[in-house]
Amino acid sequence: LPEPGTVEFKDVTFGYPGAEAPVLSGISFTAKPGQTTAIIGSTGAGKTTLLNLIPRLYDATEGEILIGGVPLKELGREAISRNISAVPQRPYLFSGTIASNLRFGAQDASDEELWEALDIAQSTDFVTEREGQLESTISQGGTNVSGGQRQRLCIARALAAKPMTYLFDDSFSALDVNTDAKLRAALAEPTKDAAVIIVAQRVSTITEADQILVLDHGEIVARGTHEELLESSETYQEIVTS
Ligand code: CTP
Ligand code: MG
């Protein structure tokens, strides 16, 4: 069996219920633990759809997705939510304290572990400055924190769960380039044994990725490292220069 946390797509096709054309076709790749797999491509290419198939928000129409060699359908919901942390493109906070938001998926996390996660997510200052700190209240939908803070709290939440697989859907684009770089440097250690899949808008976010998948109209049109793609893929060159 592949290592726990390995994500494998085998010739996956997906169409939204009721839609005529598939949104994803013939998607095959392996995201290995200890590696970062990046997905890049223009808006509507199918990046979010691809990520959403992993925690089974939708099921593949054709083909198969496996985690650690086990087909998703055999894993069960509980194992999926225990092993995978997803930071969605529109991160969501519910009304309640910061601590309870961070413990969603990590009920047993100590305050110390929450602070560690916040530190990695570059959110220590922001939480320290709030009255009540971890016990300060987030309003419904997180409307009393900024978009960037919301994104970072959702990254901290993902970290607190200590999963084997991390999915980041465009989680760094609301951050300034400096914070983005700091956060990703801080992520290296806690995610070093996990399979990390990052959807990115900015090429600078993914130049270090072990493999980059270039998605175009629901198909992987090129794959490789940043250097390889600069040589081989016109679509990638266009993304880099746009
Ligand atoms: N789509 C759909 N029904 C949904 C979500 C998406 O029909 N519930 C369609 C979109 O209209 C789009 C395609 O599926 O044509 C891919 O959408 P998505 O995966 O969200 O694309 P992304 O690559 O994530 O686009 P973005 O960069 O804008 O996030
Ligand atoms: Mg998207």
Side-chain angles (χ1 to χ4, degrees), residues 13-194:
T13 291
F14 173 77
Y16 283 98
E20 272 171 40
V23 169
L24 297 170
S25 321
I27 303 290
S28 296
F29 69 92
T30 303
K32 292 182 185 156
Q35 295 199 348
T36 297
T37 297
I39 302 170
I40 199 159
S42 54
T43 180
K47 305 179 296 295
T48 295
T49 305
L50 190 161
L51 282 194
N52 284 349
L53 295 179
I54 301 171
R56 287 192 70 188
L57 269 60
Y58 296 94
D59 281 327
T61 317
E62 286 170 47
E64 198 171 37
I65 302 169
L66 306 97
I67 307 270
V70 182
L72 273 183
K73 286 180 181 172
E74 288 171 25
L75 262 181
R77 299 277 167 194
E78 200 273 331
I80 290 174
S81 59
R82 183 158 31 83
N83 292 320
I84 301 171
S85 280
V87 181
Q89 191 166 17
R90 287 183 201 78
Y92 188 77
L93 299 172
F94 47 84
S95 73
T97 61
I98 287 185
S100 64
N101 267 283
L102 296 182
R103 285 201 177 96
F104 184 82
Q107 284 87 341
D108 301 333
S110 65
D111 280 8
E112 197 187 340
E113 287 173 308
L114 298 187
W115 282 113
E116 269 169 36
L118 287 167
D119 195 42
I120 297 157
Q122 311 297 305
S123 300
T124 304
D125 291 350
F126 152 66
V127 178
T128 306
E129 283 161 15
R130 290 173 71 93
E131 197 178 322
Q133 302 197 348
L134 282 177
E135 299 308 319
S136 72
T137 308
I138 301 284
S139 57
Q140 179 73 32
T143 46
N144 62 342
V145 299
S146 78
Q149 286 160 348
R150 191 152 64 226
Q151 213 157 22
R152 279 178 283 165
L153 287 176
C154 288
I155 292 169
R157 172 196 283 163
L159 287 162
K162 301 192 165 91
M164 292 189 296
T165 306
Y166 287 89
L167 310 176
F168 294 107
D169 193 351
D170 205 14
S171 304
F172 310 103
S173 56
L175 312 175
D176 62 79
V177 176
N178 218 347
T179 310
D180 175 9
K182 266 203 226 163
L183 200 160
R184 282 180 302 99
L187 277 175
E189 171 61 25
T191 64
K192 72 179 185 335
D193 297 322

